[in-house]
């Protein structure tokens, strides 16, 4: 429609069409548009309705967010294959149920508290470390939020956390579960193994023309020529636009002065303190120290442990009590202070080791500061160019035409397959790492006005200029590939047969070293590896197979390539004792606690949904997620 109305004839035709629509509304009225009320609702949770447009926006934003996290965008088909559509629907319904519960409980959060949370969010802080309104607007706009919508969303998120925190308070994973998982994760195994390769397979005679033709017919789909597409794209990102060399030293030095304290390393001191109920007792203790009593012996007399006395190696800002901090950072090393009136009593402070602070030089951080400033400035330029690009695209210009008009460089790739390779098999080299414009192009078509891709804080526009369909190749085109694949299959088949014969001999009492010597190979050893181990020269398949085999048992598995096979014997199985006080066990406990928390909240939300009442419009859901295409 846009292209059709770009000339005078198209404009006349579109004017006539719009005129007919207006007249029809005047004759028949507009009541019919209300007859479908409720058909725009995708789900209902209690009194809350989730509209089709609302869920479509949430769904699109989520897929884009996941694409940014993993460095490649997800298509609707991929999202359904992974079950992300159902997961997001359940999440949206769960959030609505918690919102309903928050209203029922009368929970609320003030605007001031919501603003405080946003102002303290590091994602919205600028170069100087303070809240940057421009960055705030750019960030929420990138995720599809208006300011009011974002404020409302953050308030709802905070109330949901209040409910979830109450439900999951004081959850503890059972000791039996921790120990079982620890044994599973930390179990160690050792094995002796022999690698069989092409040498053990023996000579492979060349395939006859008839054999090769038959093999090609049976595996024809493996040699099919992929679909190729011709695409063009242009990227507008802060990194591309921002040139750190254009930032003056004067501007960089201003930021340096503002952030000097944060750029350097502050002084740290080993601080110890003993707190007394009054000044008299503190003075008496100070006198005893002056007479030769050590600070440590004084602490022991008062029944204090090292953890009660020592604050550790600490910066001045990390000491909560200002009076104690001032005293500690005014004393020389080894000195004990006079009684200091602190917030929790009268204290004697002792200073141990002192590590001086490191003052940064401007020269050491200048380049990074300039890059940061340039990137920040470029965000504004990106927004300007984005609007201009959208205007050009809205006027019917192609990506190449719009880029030329704005002085940008468009990239054209004549032919690329889904894997990002050219017809010669080489990867395309002029696409930035993490930019999955190829996969997006394969989900589009020629002449489609595609939405821009969010990338590295900017945007990428693309067009599909042509499509070369996939086709079956004939044997002459891929004869070398067919011969190589046939040979690999022959080697793998022979190695599998030989490995089976070795296994049979080992099970009858044979020795792995003797079998290896007969093959002209050698026995190798892998010791004390866990399930998640990554051993040089040992494929993951062999590690997995070893953990499926009992001690002194034998097994076989495919190697790292088609010309490798592995025969092994498990020589040792050990399970280290469980130390619940270790750091690893504490991390495992935290992981389990998070899992139990998620499960507890999920059960609570499921009960809420049942009590409140939940309905889902499956047809609308299929429409949004593309399941009915």
């Amino acid at each position: 429609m846009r292209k059709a109305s770009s000339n005078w004839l198209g404009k006349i035709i579109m004017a006539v069409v719009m005129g007919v629509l207006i007249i029809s509304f005047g004759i028949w009225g507009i009541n019919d548009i209300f007859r479908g009320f409720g058909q725009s609702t995708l789900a209902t949770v209690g009194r809350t309705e989730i509209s089709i447009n609302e869920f479509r926006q949430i769904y699109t934003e989520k897929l884009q967010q996941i694409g940014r996290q993993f460095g490649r965008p997800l298509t609707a088909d991929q999202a359904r294959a992974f079950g992300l559509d159902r997961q997001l629907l359940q999440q949206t319904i769960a959030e609505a149920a918690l919102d309903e519960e928050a209203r029922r409980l009368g929970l609320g959060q003030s605007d001031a508290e919501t603003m405080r949370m946003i102002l303290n969010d590091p994602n919205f802080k600028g170069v100087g470390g303070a809240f940057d309104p421009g960055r705030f607007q750019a960030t929420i706009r990138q995720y599809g939020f208006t300011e009011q919508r974002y404020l409302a969303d953050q308030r709802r998120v905070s109330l949901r956390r209040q409910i979830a925190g109450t439900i999951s308070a004081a959850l503890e994973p059972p000791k039996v579960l921790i120990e079982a998982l620890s044994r599973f994760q930390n179990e160690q195994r050792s094995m002796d193994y022999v690698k069989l390769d092409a040498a053990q397979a023996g000579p492979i005679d060349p395939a006859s023309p008839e054999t090769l033709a038959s093999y090609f017919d049976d595996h024809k789909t493996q040699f099919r020529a992929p679909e190729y597409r011709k695409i063009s794209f242009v990227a507008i990102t802060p990194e591309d636009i921002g040139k750190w060399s254009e930032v003056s030293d004067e501007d960089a030095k201003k930021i340096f002065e503002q952030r000097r304290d944060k750029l350097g390393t502050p002084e740290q001191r080993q601080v110890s303190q003993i707190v007394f109920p009054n000044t008299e007792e503190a003075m008496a203790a100070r006198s005893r120290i002056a007479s030769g009593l050590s600070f440590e012996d004084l602490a022991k007399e008062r029944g204090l442990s090292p953890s009660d006395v020592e604050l550790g190696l600490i910066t001045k800002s990390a000491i909560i009590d200002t009076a104690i901090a001032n005293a500690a950072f005014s004393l020389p090393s080894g000195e004990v202070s006079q009684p200091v009136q602190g917030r929790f009593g009268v204290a004697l402070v002792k200073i141990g080791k002192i590590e001086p602070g490191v003052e940064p030089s401007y020269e050491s951080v200048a380049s990074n500061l300039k890059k940061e400033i340039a990137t920040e400035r470029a965000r504004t330029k990106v927004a300007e160019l984005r609007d201009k690009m959208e205007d050009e695209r809205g006027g019917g210009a192609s990506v190449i035409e719009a880029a030329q008009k704005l002085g940008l460089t468009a990239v054209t790739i004549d032919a690329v397959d889904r894997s990002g390779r050219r017809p010669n098999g080489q990867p395309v080299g002029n696409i930035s790492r993490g930019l999955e414009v190829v996969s997006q192009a394969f989900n589009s078509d020629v002449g489609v006005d595609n939405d821009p891709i969010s990338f590295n804080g900017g945007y990428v526009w693309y067009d599909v200029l042509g499509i070369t369909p996939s086709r079956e190749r004939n044997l002459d085109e891929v004869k070398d590939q067919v011969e190589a694949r046939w040979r690999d299959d022959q080697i793998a088949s022979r190695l599998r047969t030989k490995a089976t014969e070795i296994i049979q001999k080992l099970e009858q009492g044979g020795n792995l070293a003797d079998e290896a010597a007969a093959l002209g190979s050698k026995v190798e050893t892998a010791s004390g590896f866990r399930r998640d181990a990554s051993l040089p020269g040992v494929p993951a398949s062999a590690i997995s197979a070893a953990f499926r085999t009992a001690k002194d048992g034998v097994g076989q598995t495919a190697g790292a390539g088609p010309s490798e096979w592995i025969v092994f014997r498990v020589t040792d199985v050990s399970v280290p004792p469980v130390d619940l006080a270790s750091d690893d066990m504490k991390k495992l406990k935290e992981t389990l606690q998070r899992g139990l928390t998620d499960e507890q909240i999920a059960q609570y939300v499921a009960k809420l949904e049942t009590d409140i009442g939940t309905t889902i419009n499956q047809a609308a859901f299929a429409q949004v997620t593309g399941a009915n295409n």
Side-chain angles (χ1 to χ4, degrees):
M1 291 176 64
R2 184 181 69 241
K3 291 182 178 179
S5 60
S6 60
N7 54 58
W8 64 271
L9 178 59
K11 291 178 180 178
I12 293 175
I13 294 173
M14 290 304 298
V16 172
V17 171
M18 294 304 296
V20 171
L21 289 175
I22 293 170
I23 293 172
S24 66
F25 278 124
I27 297 174
W28 287 286
I30 61 173
N31 290 333
D32 286 347
I33 70 172
F34 294 108
R35 292 179 182 174
F37 182 78
Q39 295 179 1
S40 63
T41 300
L42 187 138
T44 303
V45 184
R47 295 180 299 168
T48 300
E49 289 188 352
I50 302 171
S51 69
I52 292 177
N53 289 335
E54 179 184 356
F55 184 76
R56 179 183 286 112
Q57 184 175 10
I58 294 172
Y59 186 63
T60 303
E61 291 171 357
K62 189 65 175 180
L63 293 189
Q64 292 175 350
Q65 179 184 355
I66 294 174
R68 285 189 293 269
Q69 290 174 348
F70 289 95
R72 56 181 304 172
L74 289 180
T75 65
D77 291 339
Q78 291 171 331
R80 290 196 304 276
F82 292 136
L84 294 177
D85 53 344
R86 286 285 169 184
Q87 292 177 23
L88 188 59
L89 176 63
Q90 293 302 321
Q91 177 184 333
T92 305
I93 291 173
E95 290 172 351
L98 288 172
D99 293 342
E100 285 280 313
E101 182 68 356
R103 282 192 290 270
R104 188 186 70 81
L105 296 174
L107 299 180
Q109 178 171 284
S110 66
D111 292 340
E113 176 61 17
T114 305
M115 286 303 301
R116 186 194 66 78
M117 293 170 56
I118 293 173
L119 292 174
N120 290 329
D121 192 329
N123 294 310
F124 303 140
K125 292 184 177 180
V127 177
F131 178 78
D132 185 345
R135 172 174 287 193
F136 170 71
Q137 293 292 342
T139 302
I140 66 174
R141 184 169 57 244
Q142 181 179 350
Y143 287 91
F145 283 99
T146 64
E147 182 173 332
Q148 292 303 317
R149 182 187 163 207
Y150 184 77
L151 289 171
D153 182 76
Q154 290 303 296
R155 185 180 292 108
R156 287 193 298 269
V157 168
S158 182
L159 296 179
R160 293 170 197 155
R161 287 174 179 166
Q162 289 183 38
I163 298 174
T166 303
I167 297 303
S168 60
L171 274 178
E172 287 285 339
K175 181 181 177 181
V176 173
L177 178 59
I178 296 175
E179 292 178 345
L181 284 176
S182 174
R183 287 193 292 269
F184 179 84
Q185 291 181 354
N186 296 318
E187 178 184 343
Q188 296 180 355
R189 298 204 171 197
S190 300
M191 69 177 179
D192 294 336
Y193 63 95
V194 175
K195 287 184 178 179
L196 309 181
D197 55 26
Q200 281 78 41
I204 305 294
D205 295 331
S208 65
E210 295 78 15
T211 300
L212 209 60
S214 176
Y215 181 85
F216 175 71
D217 289 338
D218 293 339
H219 301 82
K220 189 172 291 186
T221 57
Q222 297 179 13
F223 304 99
R224 185 180 179 89
E227 177 183 320
Y228 290 100
R229 297 203 170 194
K230 181 178 182 180
I231 64 175
S232 64
F233 68 91
V234 61
I236 301 176
T237 66
E239 184 178 357
D240 294 332
I241 295 175
K243 302 298 182 181
W244 69 270
S245 58
E246 296 176 359
V247 179
S248 67
D249 284 322
E250 180 182 359
D251 292 341
K253 285 180 178 177
K254 288 180 181 178
I255 302 300
F256 174 74
E257 293 300 329
Q258 294 173 8
R259 299 169 59 182
R260 181 189 292 268
D261 294 340
K262 297 180 180 179
L263 293 172
T265 302
E267 178 185 335
Q268 292 182 305
R269 294 189 170 205
Q270 192 81 34
V271 180
S272 303
Q273 68 170 2
I274 300 176
V275 180
F276 299 85
N278 53 60
T279 304
E280 289 74 17
E281 287 191 31
M283 285 296 295
R286 180 67 176 79
S287 299
R288 294 181 64 195
I289 291 174
S291 300
L293 180 66
S294 70
F295 195 84
E296 291 73 17
D297 289 341
L298 177 62
K300 291 178 181 178
E301 284 185 8
R302 302 184 66 83
L304 301 175
S305 66
S307 61
D308 298 325
V309 175
E310 296 174 3
L311 301 182
L313 193 63
I314 195 170
T315 62
K316 185 175 182 179
S317 61
I319 300 177
I320 300 174
D321 196 321
T322 305
I324 301 297
N326 291 335
F329 278 78
S330 63
L331 295 170
S333 178
E335 185 70 23
V336 177
S337 72
Q338 295 294 330
V340 179
Q341 180 62 57
R343 294 168 57 184
F344 308 105
V346 181
L348 294 181
V349 180
K350 180 185 176 182
I351 302 304
K353 180 174 64 174
I354 297 177
E355 291 188 358
V358 177
E359 185 74 16
S361 64
Y362 169 73
E363 290 74 17
S364 65
V365 296
S367 62
N368 289 334
L369 287 177
K370 288 183 178 181
K371 289 178 182 178
E372 188 176 346
I373 294 170
T375 301
E376 190 67 25
R377 291 176 178 175
R379 294 180 192 277
T380 303
K381 185 65 175 176
V382 166
E384 295 175 359
L385 286 173
R386 179 203 62 215
D387 294 341
K388 292 180 180 179
M389 190 74 180
E390 286 295 299
D391 289 342
E392 293 297 326
R393 297 283 286 154
S398 67
V399 165
I400 295 177
E401 293 168 346
Q404 290 174 345
K405 188 167 183 178
L406 297 178
L408 302 171
T409 302
V411 176
T412 299
I413 302 173
D414 291 328
V416 61
D417 66 13
R418 288 181 182 272
S419 66
R421 296 182 179 275
R422 299 181 186 274
N424 61 6
Q426 297 299 314
V428 175
N430 49 357
I431 299 178
S432 299
R433 184 177 180 85
L435 174 59
E436 294 293 334
V437 67
V438 172
S439 61
Q440 293 281 43
F442 271 85
N443 291 322
S444 183
D445 209 336
V446 176
V448 174
D449 187 3
N450 304 294
D451 292 331
I453 305 170
S454 296
F455 177 69
N456 282 357
Y459 305 90
V460 177
W461 288 263
Y462 66 96
D463 278 339
V464 178
L465 305 179
I467 298 176
T468 302
S470 173
R471 65 177 180 85
E472 286 190 354
R473 293 176 170 135
N474 57 52
L475 179 58
D476 292 336
E477 291 181 86
V478 290
K479 185 176 181 181
D480 291 342
Q481 298 177 34
V482 175
E483 288 178 337
R485 187 74 61 83
W486 176 85
R487 178 181 172 80
D488 287 342
D489 285 357
Q490 293 299 306
I491 292 174
S493 177
R494 291 192 182 187
L495 292 180
R496 188 183 301 108
T497 301
K498 191 171 290 292
T500 301
E501 294 173 355
I502 295 174
I503 291 293
Q504 292 173 350
K505 293 179 180 179
L506 294 177
E507 290 176 341
Q508 295 171 3
N511 185 280
L512 187 60
D514 294 340
E515 297 300 325
L519 293 170
S521 186
K522 63 179 181 178
V523 177
E524 300 181 64
T525 299
S527 302
F529 56 87
R530 302 196 309 182
R531 297 174 191 273
D532 58 353
S534 178
L535 303 178
V538 182
S541 60
I543 294 174
S544 299
F547 275 90
R548 295 193 301 268
T549 306
K551 183 179 178 181
D552 298 325
V554 293
Q556 61 171 304
T557 183
S563 301
E564 182 178 275
W565 208 263
I566 293 176
V567 177
F568 65 89
R569 181 190 294 276
V570 176
T571 58
D572 185 55
V573 176
S574 64
V575 181
V578 178
D579 181 8
L580 294 176
S582 67
D583 291 338
D584 288 342
M585 287 302 97
K586 291 177 181 177
K587 292 178 181 177
L588 176 59
K589 181 178 179 181
E590 292 173 359
T591 302
L592 289 173
Q593 198 160 9
R594 285 194 295 270
L596 290 174
T597 297
D598 292 343
E599 183 179 352
Q600 182 92 336
I601 294 173
Q603 292 178 4
Y604 177 78
V605 170
K607 184 67 166 59
L608 274 182
E609 293 174 7
T610 302
D611 294 343
I612 293 173
T614 303
T615 58
I616 300 174
N617 185 341
Q618 295 293 346
F621 176 69
Q623 173 190 339
V624 172
T625 59
N628 57 357
N629 291 341

